[in-house]
Structures are given as C-alpha cells and as structure tokens.
Amino acid sequence: MRHIPVITDILEYNSAVAADVRKAISPRVLTLNLISSPGAGKTTLIERTAAALKGELRLAVIEGDQATTLDASRVAAQGVPTVQINTGSECHLEARQVIAALSQLPLDDVDVLIIENVGNLICPVEFDLGEDAKVLVVSLPEGEDKPLKYRPSFIAAQAIIVNKLDLAPYLAVSADRLCQFIGTINGSARIIPLSCVTGEGLDVWLDWLRAALRAKRAASRVS
Amino acid sequence: MRHIPVITDILEYNSAVAADVRKAISPRVLTLNLISSPGAGKTTLIERTAAALKGELRLAVIEGDQATTLDASRVAAQGVPTVQINTGSECHLEARQVIAALSQLPLDDVDVLIIENVGNLICPVEFDLGEDAKVLVVSLPEGEDKPLKYRPSFIAAQAIIVNKLDLAPYLAVSADRLCQFIGTINGSARIIPLSCVTGEGLDVWLDWLRAALRAKRAASRVS
C-alpha cells in the first residue's frame, strides 16, 4: 500500500506546476481542458470551432495522445498553432507537459487555448493543467449511463457537450435521458447537445465559449 | 520521479496475485479479460453471448465499474452468475479484486468466465487478471485511428471485436480501414467485425470463443 502517499506527491507536484501554467498564460487568454472517452469527437469539435471562429477569435491547441500526430495535423490544417504531446504509455496529460508546450505557441496572439487531453474518461480529471475550465465531451453512442458510471469527470466539468446528436435516430439511446442523468450528477454545468456533422447546437457551444472568455477577462480587470 | 519504481512494485504484486487466480480457476474454465473504451459495447456483447450459448456453455461474469451495479444487473438478467466490483476512483481492475470475487461465483459449474474491465482503452492492459486471453472491443463510432493511437491495448489482445457495424451507413468511418489499421498494429489477433444489434458476425465471435475453450482444455490435458 506504499503507492497512495506517492500518488498524492505526484498530484501535489502537478498542482504546483499548474499554478505556474496559470502565471505563464495571460489573463486575457481562456484556457480549456477538453476531456472525453476515445473517439467521442474532441478533435472534430476543435476543427469546427476553429472554422467557426476564424477572423473573430484566435485559437491555439495542445494535443495529447499516447502516440501519433494525427490530431495535431488535423487541427493545424485549420491554420491553428498546434503542439502535439505524445504521452507514450501514460493515460493523461500533466501540467509539466503543458508548461513545456507553452513556449512553442504564440501566446501573445491567442485568445483561446484548448488543451485536448488523452482519450480517457477517468484519469485526466485528476490532473489540473492550469485551465480555466474543464469541458467534457460525451457522445450518444457511448450510452445513457456514462454520467452515473464515471461520476468524477462529469462532476468536475463546467461545460458538458453531448456530441453526435445526428446518430440519435439509429441508436437505442435518448439524448434527453442522457442530459437528465448528467443533470443529476452535476447540476451546475452547462449541458450542450450538438452535432459536429449537422452543426446543430454548435452556436450554443460557441456562445458558451465567448461568454467564458468575457468572464475571464472581466475577472482579470477586477483582480 | 519516485513513482516509477513504485508502479513496478504494484505491477509485480499484481502479477503474483494473477498467478494465484490462474491456480484457483480450473483448467477446464476459459477466462477472458474484456477491455474497451467506455460505451464500446462490452456489456451488450456479454448479454448476446449469454443468450446465444444458453444450454451449451455455462458463463460467469465479473463486472468492473467505477460506480453502479447497472452492468451486473443487465448480465444477471440473462441468468448468468455475476459479481460487480466497484473500483471507486480507480481506472482499471486488479488481480486482487478478481481473486476476491472468485469465491462468490459457482466456478465448479462454469465453462467460461468473462471479466468485463472498467471502460478505459489505456490503463487496464497493464494489469494481468489471470486471464487466458485479452479480448478488445472497439466500436465504429470511435473512429478508424484508434489502433494507431492506443497501440498497447491493441497489441496485447488475442481477439479484437469491431463492434456497432450496424452504424456504418451513418458514419464517415470505414470498417475495412479500421480492420486494416488493427492488422498493422497486431498481425496475429483474430479480428471480428460484428453488430450486437443485427447479430451480423456474432457467430464468428462464438466460434472463436468455443475454439479458445477447446484449446485451453486440450492444453490442460497435455500439461
């Protein structure tokens, strides 16, 4: 049972580095930590977001994956400054990896920094990356019961995107019931059903993002 | 960097307990460790397998989840002896949890023991549960690139099920390309595309399972 205090050490070290990340990033930049199961649609959401906000807000992206630069290539094709972190056998991003990536991004020319975590609905939530908000993506094909079974990630999120609404006609899954289950686990998160294929609901997500950026900048003027 | 040797300790301890699991389970019982992302369809596959093999082979199931007994209830409704392990904040099953569950199953009257791991495409593969084979489930909506991005789990599996074939017409994902990518990562695994909704391919999976059981029993007679 030696491992429990050591895990605490890792988390304490990570929290200290996350504080450094917050200091390193301008208070005018909104930083989001995007978390989901593998294949829930994080990268596609980033692609659609970048395309929709072109000319309005400047994005930068940090991509976390065990292996490959596939996701970074997709995002960079949208003209977005992107850094890929390959975690090898690790199942989540840590703040020390984010702080190393920051120097490779033009942060003076960025409004929103999106950190796409490794596809994993459990482990990433433990590690503060210095973000302003965690955004969870859950997709309809994963089923209605995921909020009940993976509570910590759903509890920690400020916004929860219910993705792949376009598949609803072909699944024995109710988007309404999934949203209700999310509401019982996390009553304060903004729940945003959408489809990156049809574009339905994307405007609600973009408005949430704009409002979060405004709130961050307003708070920085006060403090 | 203190944590690396400690992680090794955990894995060594787990391997020792996994050996005890193998000793505790009769050589006439085939034990499978079922691994996938959240919502790839592990529980539905077990339900369909139990229904199809009723009267032919006797199943028992150990269900791993962070929380709830939802999956155990679904499987038990098929008349299958089932134990639920709730892992709390943990992201995977360990052999010590399996050995504790064994005493609650009628193993003298079982042909196939299926251990459904926590929904996570990364961490479970590190922990030997005393199984004869790892079976990976990946579903079409997760996308074609998952074998390339989550290599260790794909490499470790003896059978890889490509699930939710029925959704192919509604996705920009090719089942053929996904199978090809799996083949480049693991050339020896049996790749089994199927749909638990239409039943397509289920016979191939059941034949693989029957053959694996025969091979286990034949090996136990030789040794």
Side-chain angles (χ1 to χ4, degrees), chain B residues 112-157:
Chain B
V112 180
L113 171 62
I114 302 180
I115 306 169
E116 181 181 336
N117 223 308
V118 180
N120 181 333
L121 203 46
I122 301 179
C123 312
V125 73
E126 302 270 350
F127 292 84
D128 182 0
L129 302 182
E131 71 271 1
D132 297 303
K134 288 181 172 67
V135 176
L136 192 79
V137 181
V138 61
S139 62
L140 273 196
E142 294 172 65
E144 296 163 6
D145 59 354
K146 294 303 162 289
L148 310 176
K149 292 168 73 177
Y150 301 85
R151 295 171 57 98
S153 291
F154 281 86
I155 289 170

Side-chain angles (χ1 to χ4, degrees), chain B residues 49-178:
Chain B
T49 303
L53 294 177
K54 205 164 277 179
E56 178 190 344
L57 293 175
R58 298 160 301 175
L59 262 57
V61 171
I62 297 174
E63 285 288 342
D65 276 301
Q66 281 199 296
T68 81
T69 55
L70 293 170
D71 288 354
S73 300
R74 286 172 56 187
V75 172
Q78 295 288 330
V80 174
T82 307
V83 176
Q84 175 84 49
I85 299 170
N86 281 336
T87 63
S89 63
E90 289 300 312
C91 54
H92 59 270
L93 286 177
E94 296 184 14
R96 63 183 167 79
Q97 296 166 315
V98 172
I99 212 160
L102 289 183
S103 62
Q104 299 173 61
L105 290 171
L107 283 183
D108 290 343
D109 301 315
V110 167
D111 300 300
V112 180
L113 171 62
I114 302 180
I115 306 169
E116 181 181 336
N117 223 308
V118 180
N120 181 333
L121 203 46
I122 301 179
C123 312
V125 73
E126 302 270 350
F127 292 84
D128 182 0
L129 302 182
E131 71 271 1
D132 297 303
K134 288 181 172 67
V135 176
L136 192 79
V137 181
V138 61
S139 62
L140 273 196
E142 294 172 65
E144 296 163 6
D145 59 354
K146 294 303 162 289
L148 310 176
K149 292 168 73 177
Y150 301 85
R151 295 171 57 98
S153 291
F154 281 86
I155 289 170
Q158 281 87 338
I160 300 174
I161 289 172
V162 176
N163 195 17
K164 307 195 186 179
L165 270 193
D166 52 289
L167 293 177
Y170 318 112
L171 299 169
V173 176
S174 154
D176 287 344
R177 233 172 1 244
L178 174 53

